């Protein structure tokens, strides 16, 4: 298994081609595009891919990041600059070690890259387990999208060469929950908190809710744990008290 590269709103066809080329260089095959502005069949993308157009042809298109990661277990978000968010930051090398470990446990892994101009926004980053910041000159920290994918793909490939980490088995009930399962718990939680008027000061809800979501996305919940959490929500409903 290999990590899936996810590009959020890529703007330049040349970058799509450069991403495909770098992926092929380091044996990655699966590309997902979220609301792409650049088209993967653009001749400029195909030319830049230098023979890796199969990756572009087979790229899967999604309208939201959330949909694009619903079947994945672990998601890493890449960012050039530090954000005001309580997340673990990893270098590209550290991230490659984590990704390799995840893959050896048969987890589906996605690595997310942002739009050229703005990078990933906070709503995107909140969906990611961990962040990855390629160490670069702090005075000039933003890499070109294609180059950023290349660096990460390179590190993942080096990590994969000749390394095996004893896997922590996710079998049966201890299988890790997918992002979709975790998201449906969060949706229920939000509804319950709305009903219970948890957000006393309405305008504070977005930031409080973001913090709460971060608490949950930092953890690796198993399918059973998600079921337990959903069960837990039920005890606060008036109908179940009688
Ligand atoms: N100003 C934007 C830069 C966008 S560059 C930002 O702050 O993120 C386009 C994408 O390339 C970024 O969203 C990120 O996915 C990746 N990228 C660029 N430089 C990076 C770096 N130093 N570390 C990790 N990812 C980087």
């Amino acid at each position: 298994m290999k990590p899936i590269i996810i590009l959020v709103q890529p703007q330049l066809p040349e970058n799509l081609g450069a991403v495909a080329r770098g992926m092929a260089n380091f044996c990655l095959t699966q590309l997902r595009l979220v609301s792409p502005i650049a088209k993967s069949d653009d001749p400029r993308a195909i030319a830049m891919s230098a023979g890796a157009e199969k990756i572009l042809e087979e790229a899967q298109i999604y309208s939201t990041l959330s949909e694009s990661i619903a079947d994945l277990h672990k998601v890493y978000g890449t960012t050039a600059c530090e954000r005001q968010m309580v997340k673990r930051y990893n270098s590209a090398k550290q991230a490659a070690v984590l990704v390799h470990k995840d893959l050896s446990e048969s987890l589906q892994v996605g690595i997310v890259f942002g739009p050229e101009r703005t990078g990933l926004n906070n709503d995107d980053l909140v969906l990611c387990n961990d962040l990855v910041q390629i160490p670069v000159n702090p005075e000039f920290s933003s890499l070109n999208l294609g180059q950023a994918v290349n660096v990460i793909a390179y590190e993942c490939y080096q990590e994969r060469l000749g390394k095996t980490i004893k896997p922590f088995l996710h079998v049966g009930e201890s299988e890790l929950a997918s992002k979709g399962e975790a998201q449906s718990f969060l949706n229920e939680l939000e509804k319950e908190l709305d009903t219970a008027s948890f957000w006393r000061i309405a305008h504070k809800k977005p930031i409080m809710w973001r913090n709460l979501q971060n608490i949950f996305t930092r953890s690796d919940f198993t399918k059973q744990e998600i079921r337990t959490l959903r069960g837990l929500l039920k005890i606060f409903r008036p109908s179940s008290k009688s």
Side-chain angles (χ1 to χ4, degrees):
M1 282 216 304
K2 297 188 187 145
I4 296 168
I5 300 296
I6 304 169
L7 308 182
V8 177
Q9 292 178 349
Q11 290 158 329
L12 303 176
E14 289 83 357
N15 281 342
L16 280 189
V19 166
R21 182 178 185 169
M23 286 175 65
N25 286 142
F26 300 112
C27 298
L28 300 182
T29 50
Q30 285 179 272
L31 178 63
R32 295 184 179 183
L33 305 175
V34 179
S35 296
I37 295 156
K39 299 285 168 265
S40 48
D41 58 358
D42 187 304
R44 288 166 290 179
I46 295 168
M48 273 299 273
S49 77
E53 63 260 38
K54 189 159 181 275
I55 292 175
L56 295 174
E57 282 160 20
E58 292 175 357
Q60 292 176 303
I61 315 283
Y62 296 84
S63 47
T64 63
L65 177 60
S66 170
E67 286 166 26
S68 77
I69 60 168
D71 61 330
L72 307 183
H73 301 104
K74 280 285 184 90
V75 174
Y76 295 87
T78 57
T79 174
C81 25
E82 229 152 275
R83 311 298 183 94
Q84 293 296 322
M85 202 165 275
V86 191
K87 296 274 191 197
R88 275 179 294 257
Y89 280 84
N90 303 284
S91 69
K93 220 179 250 312
Q94 288 165 337
V97 174
L98 295 174
V99 166
H100 184 76
K101 181 172 168 290
D102 294 339
L103 296 172
S104 68
E105 293 171 5
S106 300
L107 303 180
Q108 293 270 25
V109 180
I111 308 175
V112 188
F113 296 82
E116 290 88 335
R117 212 150 26 92
T118 53
L120 294 170
N121 64 33
N122 285 345
D123 289 334
D124 297 326
L125 294 174
V126 92
L127 299 174
C128 303
N129 294 77
D130 266 22
L131 302 185
V132 186
Q133 198 176 22
I134 301 166
V136 280
N137 176 0
E139 309 291 318
F140 200 76
S141 65
S142 175
L143 288 164
N144 161 269
L145 175 60
Q147 290 166 339
V149 171
N150 262 270
V151 172
I152 304 278
Y154 165 82
E155 291 291 2
C156 288
Y157 187 65
Q158 303 315 307
E159 188 60 29
R160 197 153 65 85
L161 291 178
K163 285 210 178 175
T164 45
I165 299 176
K166 200 164 176 281
F168 167 73
L169 289 177
H170 289 293
V171 286
E173 289 302 272
S174 70
E175 204 180 311
L176 206 62
S178 69
K179 289 287 169 196
E181 288 164 326
Q183 193 57 52
S184 61
F185 158 69
L186 285 173
N187 293 344
E188 271 183 47
L189 175 64
E190 186 181 13
K191 247 187 262 157
E192 293 296 334
L193 294 175
D194 285 342
T195 312
S197 305
F198 177 74
W199 329 102
R200 295 221 176 96
I201 307 167
H203 73 269
K204 289 211 169 150
K205 175 178 169 181
I207 185 77
M208 287 170 77
W209 178 230
R210 180 168 290 159
N211 289 343
L212 272 169
Q213 287 180 89
N214 270 331
I215 292 172
F216 286 102
T217 45
R218 272 202 305 273
S219 307
D220 296 337
F221 289 117
T222 65
K223 289 182 187 300
Q224 178 55 51
E225 284 165 344
I226 288 289
R227 277 197 291 275
T228 305
L229 282 172
R230 294 178 78 162
L232 219 131
L233 286 179
K234 287 203 190 97
I235 65 168
F236 298 108
R237 286 184 202 139
S239 57
S240 55
K241 281 187 189 147
S242 55

